[in-house]
Amino acid sequence: MRVRGAALGMLLVAACRGTDPFVETARAVRPEAGAVVSEHPLATQVGLAVLDAGGNAADAAVATALALAVVYPQAGNLGGGGFAVFVGADGNASTLDFREVAPAGYAQDLYLGADGEVVKERSLVTPLAVGVPGSPLGLWELYRRHGSRRLSFAQLCEGAIALAENGFTVDPWLARDLASPSNQALLTHDPGAAAKFYPGGAPLAEGDRLVQPELGATLRRLAQRGPVGGFYRGEVAEALVADLREADRRAGFVAGERLLSLADLAAYEVRERPPLVGSFAGRTLVAMGPPSSGGVALLQVLGILEGMPLQRQRDARRERLALGLDVASEGDPAEREAASLGLDARAVHWWIEAFRRAFADRAEHLGDPDHVDVPVGELLAPAWLASRRVSIGERADLAVGALVRAPREASAETTHLSVVDRDGNAVALTTTLNDTFGSGLYVDAAGFLLNNELDDFSIKPGTPNLFGLVGGAANQLAPGRRPLSSMTPTVVLAPSGRVEVVIGAPGGPRIITAVTQVLLRMLAYGQPLEDAIRAPRLHQQWRPEVTRFEEGWPATLRGALDRDHGQPLREPERGGFASVQGIHVCEDGGVEAFSDPRRGGAAGVQGRGVARPASPRP
Ligand code: DON
């Protein structure tokens, strides 16, 4: 789909404002350098080397993702799935869905106990958790459709192969995750994972070397034979099914004859989906559509807020401060920051209410578009967003529901990477095993972990999943379906059409609230990328009704949300508020890349190398 210069057709709101598009076009801005941001410095390094070797953004994204499968086993993967948004320098946008699929034999009955209730562990740690992996074919398709062809797929695998075969030094983040009692219990339940990550019974520690020859051999097969011969059929596929059979025996034959099969693997397909295109603050946003809810929720929230008088509210707060009618305690950095942005409780109340409404629609309407009728157009229609906007009053509306459609005649781990190249191509790619280390089930002979993505289904309406998300029929588990996701890989284009921001994050439903808040802060409040990523975040997902706050918000603002707006709030928390990986291309082509200091990732810019992790220690 061509997005540059095209009418924005179906979606969203108000006229352009901000930078004058014609001034930018005249400058023909291109990024002064390519950049890669990911959650591991070694993976960022691999991506940057591909850009330096003449690869484009798609090539670098593929190589970075493969490297993450080696150095970041918490979430980087061959045994999981994800989504990629590609925007070419020529203005063509395309999105790839390489989400996992429920095997042909899997249906709700397998997940329920004799009492008819969901047995939680089945969709988390048994073979019933595991969807047919999408990553190997997804990365191949990203290369095949959008790669530069200056480098072969085998060349893109080289960095990951070297890291697997030669090994790498365990960093403090992996050491911490392996030492956590819950992860240790998960991984030591599988003998192969136990041997690899807990040699001699103790977790690999910071500074240890992790060598993965089996994974190296799998990556070599992938490099030489491509994903069909190298993964979905042949030795790797056979090893995967054999290990699942063994895990099913350990779990008491919960899947039995209906276990994920060789036929399920052979049938896996990547889907090219229509990109979701919306606008906000004069920019064009290219986002991921269903089966991710990320793009719909992002565009709904920004679409609701664009019509709110955010600017007037900022001006009013600044005026009150100037007149001494409002005070921001000078000694409190959180107060000072909010005051300098003109941010007050009323505006944050609007953010929360917009999230509440978007997540209500998510729970009711979103699912796999190949199997259910997802009303994307209705959910993003200006009239629906306007009605949502005017429904926001001064008090929190905890009883808000979802879009009611007119009757019809018929019918805890993920990781994100962002890349731009010098030509102005961009890739935002989010990939996951779902929970940290996925299901904990490890394919011994092939050296990789399997996802527990099927927990993202609403296995029984009203029963919350791992992330407390509830859903209904639209996200019901059924054979061949893809579970609903919150992943929100997004590319923002400036009014001239050049790439401006490439962004995404891990964090379950907090991905949606994190990406939205960072973009809101950048595009509506003028904060630089780094400040917007560092800023404290909040999370509201409809159910539960309460809003969660990260540490660092002004106490006065939280007080006013409670008192003046009836917002139920949790005490401020530390940790768990997603980890945003962003690139910003400035008007003059300058490139800023920043990896969220909440985790140990690193940004790299051509000519400047890879920055030290923003936060070297957990
Ligand atoms: O697709 C989803 O929405 C989830 N499987 C993502 C899980 C996740 O982000 C956990 N990461 N920290």
Side-chain angles (χ1 to χ4, degrees):
M1 178 193 275
R2 192 174 161 76
V3 290
R4 268 168 221 184
L8 290 181
M10 79 177 186
L11 307 179
L12 302 195
V13 276
C16 289
R17 59 184 156 81
T19 326
D20 180 343
F22 300 106
V23 174
E24 283 207 358
T25 310
R27 285 195 202 135
V29 179
R30 283 191 182 187
E32 63 179 14
V36 179
V37 194
S38 83
E39 286 205 282
H40 200 293
L42 291 171
T44 299
Q45 188 77 61
V46 165
L48 214 53
V50 165
L51 290 179
D52 285 340
N56 70 4
D59 296 328
V62 169
T64 306
L66 291 169
L68 285 167
V70 179
V71 297
Y72 195 67
Q74 299 98 311
N77 66 81
L78 295 180
F83 300 98
V85 174
F86 175 85
V87 180
D90 60 0
N92 280 313
S94 106
T95 63
L96 291 180
D97 161 7
F98 51 100
R99 186 74 163 158
E100 300 89 330
V101 168
Y106 289 13
Q108 187 193 54
D109 63 292
L110 290 179
Y111 297 79
L112 304 181
D115 58 359
E117 294 303 319
V118 174
V119 184
K120 274 312 298 168
E121 67 177 35
R122 291 198 188 156
S123 62
L124 290 172
V125 298
T126 77
L128 292 178
V130 181
V132 181
S135 291
L137 198 59
L139 297 177
W140 166 263
E141 286 296 326
L142 182 56
Y143 155 78
R144 193 179 69 79
R145 290 166 195 238
H146 304 298
S148 68
R149 297 305 167 92
R150 288 187 287 271
L151 299 173
S152 66
F153 187 72
Q155 284 172 298
L156 302 183
C157 296
E158 278 171 11
I161 292 172
L163 287 165
E165 292 182 346
N166 304 334
F168 67 96
T169 305
V170 172
D171 71 357
W173 294 86
L174 177 55
R176 182 197 66 167
D177 288 339
L178 289 172
S180 111
S182 59
N183 291 333
Q184 182 152 0
L186 176 80
L187 290 168
T188 53
H189 195 63
D190 181 295
K196 184 55 52 187
F197 299 112
Y198 300 84
L204 288 170
E206 180 182 350
D208 285 350
R209 203 154 185 82
L210 175 55
V211 187
Q212 301 174 85
E214 307 82 5
L215 181 55
T218 301
L219 287 162
R220 278 190 188 281
R221 285 200 178 91
L222 201 58
Q224 284 154 11
R225 300 188 207 160
V228 175
F231 187 93
Y232 291 91
R233 294 170 193 266
E235 298 95 317
V236 173
E238 281 157 21
L240 193 162
V241 172
D243 280 15
L244 275 183
R245 194 167 296 123
E246 182 52 28
D248 197 45
R249 188 192 58 74
R250 288 198 304 273
F253 298 104
V254 287
E257 291 302 304
R258 290 156 71 183
L259 187 73
L260 188 157
S261 68
L262 289 172
D264 289 316
L265 285 165
Y268 185 80
E269 286 176 359
V270 168
R271 295 259 186 272
E272 174 145 19
R273 305 282 181 194
L276 283 190
V277 181
S279 71
F280 180 72
R283 275 61 162 211
T284 301
L285 283 84
V286 183
M288 192 69 224
S292 184
S293 61
V296 171
L298 171 75
L299 296 184
Q300 279 197 323
V301 171
L302 294 180
I304 292 170
L305 292 177
E306 175 125 51
M308 293 297 223
L310 290 178
Q311 189 56 44
R312 215 166 62 213
Q313 198 63 21
R314 296 179 72 190
D315 294 344
R317 165 115 217 252
R318 287 177 169 146
E319 214 171 297
R320 286 200 308 276
L321 286 163
L323 293 171
L325 300 173
D326 188 351
V327 280
S329 152
E330 276 298 306
D332 180 347
E335 291 256 3
R336 269 205 322 273
E337 201 230 4
S340 78
L341 287 182
L343 194 59
D344 69 357
R346 195 147 180 248
V348 175
H349 165 70
W350 295 340
W351 298 11
I352 295 172
E353 290 303 296
F355 281 127
R356 200 186 300 288
R357 284 155 177 75
F359 274 92
D361 279 343
R362 178 195 195 278
E364 177 68 22
H365 294 294
L366 294 194
D368 182 346
D370 292 340
H371 295 261
V372 294
D373 176 19
V374 184
V376 174
E378 285 172 69
L379 292 170
L380 292 173
W384 174 236
L385 297 182
S387 73
R388 288 303 226 184
R389 190 179 310 126
V390 299
S391 77
I392 297 177
E394 286 301 318
R395 309 288 296 176
D397 181 359
L398 307 187
V400 76
L403 172 85
V404 179
R405 303 181 69 186
R408 302 215 148 203
E409 297 274 312
S411 53
E413 190 88 27
T414 301
T415 194
H416 177 85
L417 61 97
S418 294
V419 186
V420 293
D421 61 30
R422 279 201 172 100
D423 291 331
N425 301 295
V427 176
L429 185 153
T430 314
T431 181
T432 189
L433 291 166
N434 192 28
D435 208 355
T436 309
F437 301 110
S439 62
L441 300 174
Y442 184 77
V443 185
D444 300 3
F448 61 88
L449 285 159
L450 290 165
N451 68 82
N452 58 0
E453 218 71 59
L454 301 189
D455 189 69
D456 276 349
F457 280 117
S458 165
I459 289 175
K460 188 172 176 194
T463 304
N465 73 2
L466 178 66
F467 300 105
L469 293 166
V470 289
N475 188 30
Q476 176 65 60
L477 184 149
R481 270 199 197 180
R482 298 174 188 223
L484 183 61
S485 172
S486 300
M487 292 190 268
T488 314
T490 302
V491 177
V492 179
L493 306 178
S496 65
R498 69 170 176 88
V499 59
E500 183 174 359
V501 183
V502 189
I503 197 163
R510 293 167 192 222
I511 295 171
I512 293 173
T513 45
V515 170
T516 307
Q517 286 171 85
V518 172
L519 288 178
L520 197 54
R521 284 175 174 277
M522 291 179 74
L523 306 180
Y525 292 83
Q527 276 194 303
L529 174 77
E530 178 174 339
D531 294 358
I533 290 178
R534 283 186 187 276
R537 296 201 269 265
L538 58 82
H539 179 68
Q540 160 57 236
Q541 64 174 40
W542 183 56
R543 294 288 179 270
E545 291 85 351
V546 69
T547 300
R548 303 175 81 133
F549 280 78
E550 193 172 26
E551 283 180 347
W553 286 86
T556 47
L557 187 145
R558 287 171 36 80
L561 280 170
D562 171 31
R563 190 183 59 242
D564 302 339
H565 301 288
Q567 288 289 357
L569 313 174
R570 286 266 292 260
E571 281 306 303
E573 298 163 69
R574 182 198 288 268
F577 279 82
S579 152
V580 175
Q581 312 297 314
I583 298 174
H584 177 220
V585 184
C586 311
E587 254 177 84
D588 63 359
V591 173
E592 301 164 346
F594 192 64
S595 179
D596 201 322
R598 289 167 182 80
R599 306 244 347 157
V605 178
Q606 279 183 292
R608 279 184 256 157
V610 176
R612 291 156 61 88
S615 184
R617 308 201 63 79

